[in-house]
Amino acid sequence: MKSQVDALLAAMTVQEKAGQVNQRLHGWTALRRTGDGFEVTDSAREEIERWGGLGALYGLFRADAWSGQHWGTGIRPEERADAAAALQEAVLAASPHRTGALLVEEAPHGHQALGGTVLPVNLNLASTWDLARVREAAHRVGSELSASGVHIALVSALDVLRDPRWGRAEECFGESAMLAAELTHAVVDGMQGPGRSRIGTDGVAVVLKHLAAQGEAVGGRNGQSAHLGPQDLHEIHLAPAEAGIDAGALGFMAAYNDIDGVPCCANPELLTGYLRTRHGFDGIVMADGLAIDRLVDMTGDLAGAARAALLAGIDLSLWDEAFTLLPRLAEEDDQVAAALDVACRRVLNLKERFGLLDVRAPAEVTPQRESLTLGSATAVTPDSSRALAARSLVLLTNEAGALPLNPSALTTLAVVGPWADDVPALLGDYVPPLPPGSAPSIGQALGAQLPEAEILISEDAIPAHLGQADAGIVVIGGTSHRPYDAEFADNGAIAGRAGQATGGEGVDLADVSLPGAQDELVRRARHHLAPGVPLIAVVVAGRPHVLTGVLESVDAVLWAGYPGPWGAEAISAVLLGEAEPTGRLPMTLPSHPSVVPVRHDDRQDATGVYLDVAEPVLFPVGHGLEYQKVEVAELRLDVGAEQVVVAVRVRNPGQRPTETVLPVFAHRRGGLRVPRRQELLAFRRIALAAGESAEVTWSIPASRFFAGTSRASSTAVTVRGLSATASPRPTVG
């Protein structure tokens, strides 16, 4: 007996099949307002009728500067159900087979829609080292998307931060493949449910991006070639992808870059051999925006580009013209016709999971026309977003206990620097506009916490009366904010005039020093403060910047990243001692702009190599200070034939509860490859009550713990300054 997908595929024309693998529209242009709701625009109706339906629609709810959608023009939270229903009704009416459309939305760190949940950026999520809370936040974002009628979330997770010059560093879960893999698994598990259990109920299908090695692009230049061998490709850049497959991810997005000259979206070894043959992946592969059309430089024309991408394993295009040529190509080429059937089947299989096949009534596939309880930009998951922001802050230095500040001793507080009173700078790239007044700046948050103090806020200059302050906060770093008058490339990346943006897609930097003479600004702030008055630097940034000069002028440095709408309140709480700084760096901070890239897991040590920069690392992966120091002792390694147990004892000697992060780093010797200087083998974030002691253990497969099995093999383990070395157990016989 034929399955529903088999029967549908047999009944479809070539034109209809091609329509299922095309995703050409900008969703925000697909609807227009009417007196009592929405109707499909003429251009969208023409596209729907052209294919006898619609495979997928990108960005129906997207709101940002590129789409031009804002609170005065875009689809509001309470309107999402009606908008989705209007679109689906038009698609079903044009489809001879009553097949609905997959609605696809950007969700790199929350939903990029008016009223959508906004989380801290991925670099901040990584600095929490908190799998449970990341999983919970992903679940809630997935539930929001599902309630809006969305089926697919495009989620940044696979890019590993290997070069801080890359503008999209903020989208990475740090530079460790292991940390990125664990967080990728947590996100997929949260949005789709364990074993895909939430698909069709309160979850969405995750398309993980970008596959693969985009973080390795030469010079940190977005979308350019990645030069690396198969070992590093698999160990570093495919580790998050394998975690995504293991978690059941239903989609991957092929990246813009090439690997050793082969474009990812035309790479059969990657998209078919690796994903499907080697790992049994059964979902869809989507191309990045206009990536297929860009193959013309390789193939010579759009027809060749379409053929190359389809035969490599691309199932769904994004805005490309090339895939519109598939009906003609399929008629002329049996190989293309067979590949089109395969791609169409994969899209239909995904639609079947969401009940989008053979729909008799529009109500079967549209969300209930009840207002989503969003209310404001962060109302769906305030607890999740707030908790992640608080746990992501990393205390880099704290000379003479300058932090926390004593609120009762502050009568005048100076908050200066370019981002002192800026809310969008806290949010990162790929975010919707927040409702006015829905989130405070750092200066405003400190003012709210210190109602009796005078708060001197200045973004552009050092106030003349800075010398009267009891303490100074200088907010430095960068921003990925996309202003509505910015110029954009054809794929939505910032292009040309970027406004103040110093990060985000399309904003790669040759120099990762603090932009805009901020080192000098910090020095001037130090000069204007009275002697003995503490100066604290708060670093708002989406990439590793060089902070060497800053350290010379300040008493403490708090790395804040892009912590999201609740970030200012979290920063204020840490500065004033109401909360502990418990984050740990997920990336290396360089000491000089010319030493990059430098990573914890490089195979060779860069220390002492440069005559002019003896120590290229300012702060390593895993670095972070605490107000209330957790004691770690008694590192033990128990080596078994199949696994190695790593154990430490921890104690909170303080008077209040706290949390701490315990990374397990290793240097593995043995085998036939130069060992990495350091690898992350495991980690744990734990909570400890006041005075509590506990034993923390990890069971690590021996095959992962040791690089080889010979007597010459050994692994040196480090946990928070404690070290131990072990060798594999000899095999019997």
Side-chain angles (χ1 to χ4, degrees):
M1 182 178 176
K2 283 188 176 181
S3 70
Q4 189 177 20
V5 170
D6 288 335
L8 177 55
L9 197 60
M12 296 177 81
T13 66
V14 173
Q15 183 78 8
E16 290 165 354
K17 293 174 185 177
Q20 293 300 306
V21 302
N22 270 279
Q23 183 180 205
R24 299 185 60 249
L25 293 173
H26 292 149
W28 58 88
T29 69
L31 296 178
R32 59 171 165 257
R33 291 183 183 275
T34 63
D36 56 354
F38 298 91
E39 66 179 13
V40 174
T41 59
D42 294 341
S43 59
R45 191 173 300 281
E46 179 180 345
E47 181 74 5
I48 293 168
E49 292 176 352
R50 174 185 187 181
W51 305 107
L54 206 62
L57 180 70
Y58 170 93
L60 179 64
F61 304 125
R62 177 169 175 162
D64 67 338
W66 181 45
S67 67
Q69 303 303 296
H70 49 74
W71 285 93
T73 61
I75 297 171
R76 293 172 173 263
E78 66 273 14
E79 299 173 324
R80 289 187 202 163
D82 286 334
L87 187 283
Q88 293 288 12
E89 287 168 6
V91 171
L92 291 172
S95 171
H97 312 288
R98 303 292 295 176
T99 301
L102 291 165
L103 297 188
V104 181
E105 290 288 316
E106 292 281 5
H109 55 109
H111 184 195
Q112 195 180 8
L114 296 177
T117 297
V118 178
L119 300 175
V121 299
N122 282 1
L123 203 56
N124 280 75
L125 300 187
S127 69
T128 70
W129 302 65
D130 194 332
L131 299 179
R133 285 183 175 84
V134 169
R135 185 181 297 109
E136 176 196 18
H139 174 204
R140 296 193 180 189
V141 172
S143 295
E144 175 196 326
L145 289 162
S146 178
S148 305
V150 176
H151 308 103
I152 295 177
L154 305 182
V155 178
S156 300
L158 304 184
D159 299 321
V160 183
L161 175 53
R162 307 301 289 176
D163 194 321
R165 291 172 292 185
W166 189 36
R168 305 186 77 168
E170 68 194 72
E171 296 182 47
C172 303
F173 286 135
E175 72 183 47
S176 162
M178 189 269 178
L179 179 58
E182 291 292 313
L183 287 163
T184 297
H185 198 292
V187 167
V188 175
D189 212 34
M191 298 188 88
Q192 294 189 170
R196 302 171 172 173
S197 57
R198 296 192 179 106
I199 299 299
T201 55
D202 67 336
V204 289
V206 172
V207 169
L208 294 171
K209 58 181 188 178
H210 308 85
L211 190 70
Q214 192 169 231
E216 196 76 42
V218 62
R221 300 194 289 271
N222 189 43
Q224 296 199 13
S225 301
H227 299 310
L228 72 171
Q231 187 68 27
D232 280 359
L233 173 63
H234 282 80
E235 281 189 1
I236 296 173
H237 297 284
L238 294 182
E242 291 184 21
I245 295 170
D246 184 66
L250 282 162
F252 285 89
M253 177 179 282
Y256 287 123
N257 62 284
D258 66 84
I259 300 173
D260 295 334
V262 182
C264 290
C265 65
N267 190 333
E269 182 179 344
L270 176 68
L271 304 182
T272 298
Y274 170 78
L275 277 184
R276 300 192 185 278
T277 304
R278 180 172 175 179
H279 289 288
F281 172 66
D282 62 350
I284 64 167
V285 176
M286 182 188 301
D288 207 341
L290 297 172
I292 301 175
D293 285 357
R294 294 183 184 187
L295 294 176
V296 167
D297 193 44
M298 177 182 78
T299 64
D301 59 20
L302 286 174
R307 189 178 192 278
L310 183 70
L311 296 185
I314 295 292
D315 304 308
L316 191 61
S317 70
L318 184 57
W319 315 324
D320 297 279
E321 286 296 317
F323 262 30
T324 66
L325 305 178
L326 288 178
R328 175 174 63 81
L329 295 175
E331 295 288 353
E332 300 171 351
D333 187 330
D334 289 343
Q335 191 177 12
V336 171
L340 176 57
D341 277 0
V342 171
C344 184
R345 178 185 295 278
R346 290 172 182 155
V347 173
L348 295 178
N349 282 338
L350 185 55
K351 289 190 174 188
E352 186 177 34
R353 291 179 181 273
F354 289 101
L356 292 171
L357 304 186
D358 193 24
V359 180
R360 295 297 93 193
E364 296 176 21
V365 295
T366 55
Q368 296 296 312
R369 287 176 170 81
E370 297 174 358
S371 296
L372 290 173
T373 56
L374 303 182
S376 73
T378 53
V380 171
T381 61
D383 293 338
S384 294
S385 189
R386 189 196 306 268
L388 288 166
R391 286 164 174 79
S392 73
L393 306 178
V394 183
L395 184 60
L396 298 179
T397 64
N398 194 20
E399 299 297 327
L403 287 177
L405 300 173
N406 181 1
S408 63
L410 295 174
T411 57
T412 304
L413 177 66
V415 187
V416 301
W419 319 115
D421 203 31
D422 192 295
V423 174
L426 302 174
L427 306 180
D429 204 357
Y430 279 93
V431 291
L434 302 185
S438 64
S441 68
I442 293 174
Q444 290 168 342
L446 285 164
Q449 292 298 109
L450 298 167
E452 303 301 321
E454 181 184 9
I455 310 297
L456 308 175
I457 302 176
S458 175
E459 293 183 273
D460 300 324
I462 301 300
H465 49 303
L466 188 64
Q468 304 171 11
D470 303 306
I473 309 292
V474 57
V475 186
I476 55 178
T479 179
S480 297
H481 175 55
R482 300 166 172 237
Y484 276 76
D485 60 350
E487 298 174 11
F488 297 96
D490 56 5
N491 68 341
I494 290 179
R497 197 190 70 75
Q500 291 182 304
T502 58
E505 185 176 5
V507 189
D508 306 325
L509 297 178
D511 186 345
V512 293
S513 301
L514 286 170
Q518 291 183 61
D519 285 309
E520 176 59 26
L521 176 111
V522 175
R523 283 192 288 271
R524 286 193 290 112
R526 173 78 280 166
H527 175 75
H528 281 78
L529 284 172
V533 171
L535 178 62
I536 313 301
V538 176
V539 183
V540 174
R543 56 155 46 93
H545 280 295
V546 175
L547 303 176
T548 305
V550 173
L551 298 187
E552 299 172 355
S553 300
V554 303
D555 300 288
V557 180
L558 183 70
W559 184 85
Y562 293 149
W566 305 102
E569 295 178 5
I571 291 165
S572 175
V574 166
L575 294 177
L576 300 177
E578 296 178 3
E580 286 277 333
T582 58
R584 296 290 183 272
L585 287 178
M587 73 289 190
T588 301
L589 292 187
S591 64
H592 190 279
S594 296
V595 303
V596 300
V598 58
R599 291 77 59 111
H600 75 292
D601 56 359
D602 287 334
R603 297 187 185 277
Q604 305 290 343
D605 193 349
T607 300
V609 173
Y610 298 107
L611 294 179
D612 51 347
V613 184
E615 178 48 74
V617 175
L618 188 62
F619 295 109
V621 169
H623 175 76
L625 306 179
E626 303 162 333
Y627 294 157
Q628 189 168 276
K629 187 173 178 59
V630 171
E631 297 173 353
V632 183
E634 300 176 27
L635 173 60
R636 186 180 76 252
L637 305 180
D638 292 333
V639 180
E642 300 297 328
Q643 65 179 14
V644 177
V645 176
V646 180
V648 295
R649 288 207 63 82
V650 295
R651 186 174 79 90
N652 174 15
Q655 301 301 308
R656 61 183 185 182
T658 191
E659 296 184 14
T660 194
V661 175
L662 299 173
V664 179
F665 291 108
H667 177 67
R668 305 188 303 156
R669 302 177 64 180
L672 298 176
R673 291 187 176 87
V674 176
R676 299 188 185 280
R677 294 190 308 110
Q678 192 182 64
E679 296 176 71
L680 181 66
L681 289 186
F683 63 91
R684 187 82 48 78
R685 185 182 181 102
I686 61 170
L688 294 167
E692 181 183 5
S693 295
E695 182 174 77
V696 182
T697 63
W698 299 267
S699 293
I700 302 171
S703 60
R704 173 74 181 98
F705 193 89
F706 297 109
T709 58
S710 70
R711 292 184 179 180
S713 298
S714 66
T715 298
V717 171
T718 303
V719 181
R720 293 283 287 273
L722 302 177
S723 299
T725 302
S727 296
R729 286 181 57 177
T731 56
V732 178

